[in-house]
Amino acid sequence: MWDASKCDFCGDCFAQCRYVDFDREKAVDEIKRLAAGKEAEILKQCITCVACNDYCPTGADPSNLVFKMQEKTGIAPVDRNPVVRDELAAGLEGRGDPSQIIPGEPDKPVLSFDSFDFTNFPEGTLESRLFQGMSVVRGPEYMSLVGLVHLGAESFVEKYAARVIGKLAELGKDIVYIHNEGYVLAHVKARELGIAVPFRYMHLFEYLIDYLRKNQKDIAKLGKKVSVQVNCATRWIPQQDAWLDQIFEFVGVERPPRQYDRVNALCCSLPILNTNRTLAVEMQEKNVRDALDCGAQAMITICPLCDAIMRRPTSRLGLPKLFITDLCRIALGELSWPH
Ligand code: SF4
Ligand code: SF4
């Protein structure tokens, strides 16, 4: 959440933004305008990638200020279809498609798919030994909300976070979030909003680290180099890179240094695919070419939307793409390395 008291108006956030070409003076002026509740040029150029949170040295959360102002002013390059907003609200209020709950063993946690369909994840995910015996839940009432900034709907977080957390609490079990953004809602946004989370929860990466540690004897180290396509919301959880590095170590994978990784990672470009396709394709191809140039033998995705969006550029340029759970399943012998 934007914290004006932490901002010293250094301008790092927008001076480093890859989607504008602001010098320091312009960047400082833009953040000052937004902080004063005024319109600014950044609002129509920001693609909602959340990266400026990483660029900000003080933790002021400048992206949140941009998203709030984009929604307030209606200025943004992202899609703003009112019908979609109404449908999202109906789903969150229990007036949309029914939720699905598949019960598992009583002593095992619930795997939350947020509002995604099971089919948005790779085939065989539910049946994998990774999640054996776990209950599974999905549906519009379990939506992670934080990704709605891509639709100009940042206020949905404040409006519905307590309801979503409450729906998960009704399950009476520990929760493992298979999608990064569900974890962000519980671990970051709920805290910011003062919403108590009355269950224990884990990020998928924490769960995988624990699983791989306990099952090391079954792992055949892969000996591959892989690059990573991060999800925008990882910018709210600084520990995710260290978690991913641990997973890679367990499965015997190297993350080769490259230009567009870690703090310099590029967005999959989904938010602007319909509004500025040329820029979206340019960024995607830059990203994949950078991975190939650094010797990557595959690109890992951690979000089903990034996974779907990166299918075209990775396949066009000949870089295999793997969801993070499939990387672990290959190391455990459940799947083969893609050819
Ligand atoms: S969210 Fe991304 S595109 Fe928007 S201002 Fe921040 S860095 Fe730039
Ligand atoms: S939000 Fe952070 S990076 Fe941007 S001007 Fe303020 S302190 Fe600097």
Side-chain angles (χ1 to χ4, degrees):
M1 189 180 290
W2 165 244
D3 186 346
S5 70
K6 289 186 179 168
C7 179
D8 57 12
F9 299 104
C10 66
D12 278 358
C13 44
F14 304 151
Q16 291 187 50
C17 171
R18 293 184 180 281
Y19 300 91
V20 293
D21 189 19
F22 293 166
D23 60 20
R24 177 75 47 181
E25 193 184 350
K26 172 75 174 164
V28 170
D29 180 58
E30 289 276 311
I31 187 76
K32 282 186 172 170
R33 290 186 64 81
L34 292 183
K38 296 179 186 163
E39 288 184 10
E41 213 175 294
I42 189 76
L43 298 179
K44 58 177 183 296
Q45 293 187 46
C46 166
I47 75 151
T48 65
C49 76
V50 197
C52 45
N53 271 19
D54 268 349
Y55 308 151
C56 173
T58 66
D61 200 348
S63 67
N64 184 252
L65 176 62
V66 175
F67 305 153
K68 278 183 191 303
M69 288 298 288
Q70 283 183 326
E71 187 171 10
K72 184 177 161 193
T73 58
I75 302 170
V78 292
D79 280 333
R80 311 183 145 270
N81 186 337
V83 176
V84 173
R85 267 181 94 103
D86 290 348
E87 280 174 4
L88 289 169
L92 282 156
E93 291 165 12
R95 296 179 283 113
D97 292 338
S99 297
Q100 284 176 273
I101 300 175
I102 304 173
E105 294 167 20
D107 59 333
K108 296 217 168 163
V110 175
L111 188 64
S112 172
F113 281 71
D114 302 349
S115 56
F116 286 100
D117 285 329
F118 296 134
T119 52
N120 291 134
F121 289 79
E123 195 181 338
T125 300
L126 274 183
E127 295 75 27
S128 167
R129 60 178 280 179
L130 287 171
F131 307 116
Q132 204 169 25
M134 290 171 74
S135 302
V136 177
V137 67
R138 67 152 297 277
E141 290 182 273
Y142 300 98
M143 190 182 297
S144 53
L145 303 171
V146 298
L148 296 182
V149 296
H150 305 318
L151 299 172
E154 194 280 334
S155 62
F156 275 46
V157 176
E158 199 164 333
K159 191 166 177 190
Y160 293 107
R163 196 178 198 285
V164 172
I165 298 290
K167 287 299 294 179
L168 287 166
E170 283 172 16
L171 302 172
K173 289 186 155 218
D174 296 351
I175 303 291
V176 175
Y177 288 105
I178 195 168
H179 185 230
N180 177 64
E181 292 177 8
Y183 177 88
V184 172
L185 185 71
H187 194 70
V188 180
K189 298 294 176 180
R191 284 184 189 181
E192 289 174 353
L193 294 167
I195 297 166
V197 180
F199 49 82
R200 287 190 302 178
Y201 57 86
M202 286 177 115
H203 190 281
L204 173 69
F205 292 177
E206 293 178 290
Y207 176 81
L208 291 175
I209 290 166
D210 188 52
Y211 186 94
L212 295 170
R213 181 179 292 119
K214 288 177 179 155
N215 291 274
Q216 284 186 63
K217 63 174 185 356
D218 298 339
I219 296 173
K221 301 260 187 193
L222 298 173
K224 302 281 188 188
K225 292 183 177 182
V226 303
S227 58
V228 179
Q229 171 64 58
V230 293
N231 160 264
C232 299
T234 56
R235 305 286 189 171
W236 277 298
I237 39 174
Q239 63 274 43
Q240 66 90 23
D241 265 326
W243 286 339
L244 203 48
D245 290 344
Q246 269 183 277
I247 293 170
F248 282 8
E249 202 176 322
F250 275 121
V251 301
V253 152
E254 183 193 336
R255 183 173 174 174
R258 67 187 187 105
Q259 186 178 357
Y260 300 126
D261 198 14
R262 301 182 191 266
V263 72
N264 296 318
L266 291 179
C267 173
C268 74
S269 298
L270 167 68
I272 51 164
L273 205 55
N274 290 330
T275 52
N276 191 346
R277 191 172 179 84
T278 307
L279 179 61
V281 169
E282 183 192 320
M283 300 306 270
Q284 290 169 347
E285 299 208 348
K286 247 190 199 181
N287 193 5
V288 176
R289 285 187 202 285
D290 179 53
L292 284 165
D293 288 349
C294 295
Q297 293 161 287
M299 178 172 274
I300 299 303
T301 57
I302 66 166
C303 158
L305 293 176
C306 299
D307 191 72
I309 293 299
M310 293 306 288
R311 187 169 300 135
R312 188 206 60 84
T314 50
S315 133
R316 202 177 86 73
L317 296 171
L319 181 65
K321 174 182 62 56
L322 284 169
F323 200 75
I324 182 70
T325 46
D326 276 359
L327 181 76
C328 298
R329 293 177 68 199
I330 294 171
L332 289 163
E334 274 191 0
L335 296 174
S336 307
W337 185 263
H339 294 290

